[in-house]
């Protein structure tokens, strides 16, 4: 019987059992793709990561190899798994910067300490812009009126490693009143270059603040 230790983190919080949960396997060498997927399904968290240690010279050049799995599939990149796994390595080494090589490329994460604990900041890939989306089918997917979408901004596919269609919504109230249909969304996305929909809105009280639904 093989044994693979793992650790769990609550990312984006200093309160136990809150934030975004993450399981990290510090050494996933010897696991097949199918076994990694099965372990992620068994963890049943939004994401599970597997570190694959390799020659130090390669890690200095390209970063520490990491793979990210949801219970259903492998992802090329994701935010809180990258930050949480980098924090694990930071905690082990004390390094001010941790570089992780994910399927989408190498992501550097820098750390600093503050009154509220350790803060990590990552530098994602430069955005790549894709197709423009019509408003009517997106409104139908979200259970919104077409006028609930912000007509002054385009609905467009954007990727920094994970491909989203960014959907501007006119108000926070519209976001909170959404009735999202997963089946309709899957049918729509199959015909596009995007993998996910991401709904945002400019807060009228502070144009630099952005809201999104949970």
């Amino acid at each position: 019987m093989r044994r693979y230790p793992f650790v769990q983190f609550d990312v984006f919080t200093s309160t136990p059992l809150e934030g975004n949960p993450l399981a990290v396997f510090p050494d996933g060498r010897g696991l097949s793709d199918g076994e990694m997927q099965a372990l992620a399904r068994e963890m049943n968290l939004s994401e599970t990561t597997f570190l694959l240690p390799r020659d130090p010279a390669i890690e200095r050049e390209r970063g520490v190899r990491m793979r990210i799995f949801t219970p259903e599939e492998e992802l090329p990149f994701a935010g809180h798994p990258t930050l949480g796994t980098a924090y694990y390595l930071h905690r082990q080494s004390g390094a001010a910067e941790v570089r992780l090589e994910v399927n989408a490329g190498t992501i550097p994460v820098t750390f600093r300490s503050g009154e509220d604990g350790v803060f990590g900041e990552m530098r994602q890939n430069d955005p790549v812009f894709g197709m423009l989306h019509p408003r009517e089918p997106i409104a139908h997917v979200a259970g919104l009126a077409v006028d609930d979408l912000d007509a002054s901004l385009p609905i467009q596919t954007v990727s920094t490693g994970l491909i989203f269609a960014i959907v501007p919504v006119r108000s926070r109230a519209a976001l909170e009143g959404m009735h999202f249909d997963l089946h309709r969304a899957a049918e729509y996305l199959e015909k596009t270059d995007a993998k996910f929909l991401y709904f945002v809105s400019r807060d009228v009280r502070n144009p630099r603040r952005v809201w999104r639904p949970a």
Side-chain angles (χ1 to χ4, degrees):
M1 180 180 291
R2 294 175 295 165
R3 294 182 181 272
Y4 287 87
F6 67 92
V7 292
Q8 286 191 236
F9 292 97
D10 296 315
V11 186
F12 300 141
T13 183
S14 59
T15 304
L17 305 180
E18 293 189 4
N20 292 28
L22 173 69
V24 178
F25 283 78
D27 190 343
R29 289 177 294 183
L31 290 170
S32 68
D33 292 1
E35 288 170 330
M36 291 184 192
Q37 184 63 75
L39 283 166
R41 186 166 54 248
E42 179 72 13
M43 293 290 119
N44 201 31
L45 301 176
S46 55
E47 281 97 4
T48 297
T49 63
F50 298 86
L51 291 170
L52 302 169
R54 53 190 176 180
D55 186 272
I58 296 177
E59 292 188 344
R60 284 193 296 271
E61 178 184 354
R62 295 164 51 183
V64 179
R65 181 72 174 109
M66 179 184 74
R67 296 178 68 178
I68 306 169
F69 287 81
T70 73
E72 293 83 27
E73 63 181 334
E74 183 173 11
L75 298 178
F77 168 77
H80 93 263
T82 301
L83 286 169
T85 307
Y87 172 72
Y88 167 79
L89 292 171
H90 163 76
R91 196 174 69 173
Q92 298 298 307
S93 67
E97 181 180 86
V98 172
R99 298 170 71 244
L100 291 168
E101 185 183 26
V102 298
N103 290 354
T106 298
I107 308 295
V109 184
T110 57
F111 291 92
R112 67 176 185 270
S113 297
E115 294 181 359
D116 297 327
V118 177
F119 179 81
E121 183 175 8
M122 64 183 168
R123 175 65 165 86
Q124 296 175 211
N125 296 332
D126 291 337
V128 176
F129 294 88
M131 67 177 284
L132 297 172
H133 298 259
R135 297 167 66 206
E136 288 78 7
I138 299 292
H140 187 57
V141 162
L144 295 172
V146 173
D147 288 344
D148 287 328
L149 303 181
D150 191 337
S152 68
L153 295 169
I155 302 172
Q156 187 166 12
T157 298
V158 184
S159 173
T160 61
L162 202 56
I163 306 173
F164 286 89
I166 307 299
V167 184
V169 180
R170 290 184 62 182
S171 68
R172 184 182 179 185
L175 279 177
E176 293 174 343
M178 282 176 50
H179 297 284
F180 192 79
D181 189 312
L182 288 172
H183 179 69
R184 288 176 180 171
E187 287 186 339
Y188 175 77
L189 289 170
E190 283 181 359
K191 305 170 187 175
T192 75
D193 61 351
K195 188 173 179 62
F196 304 102
L197 295 167
Y198 194 89
F199 295 82
V200 298
S201 180
R202 293 179 290 190
D203 182 8
V204 294
R205 292 164 295 179
N206 183 349
R208 291 181 295 180
R209 182 181 299 167
V210 175
W211 296 98
R212 66 177 178 85

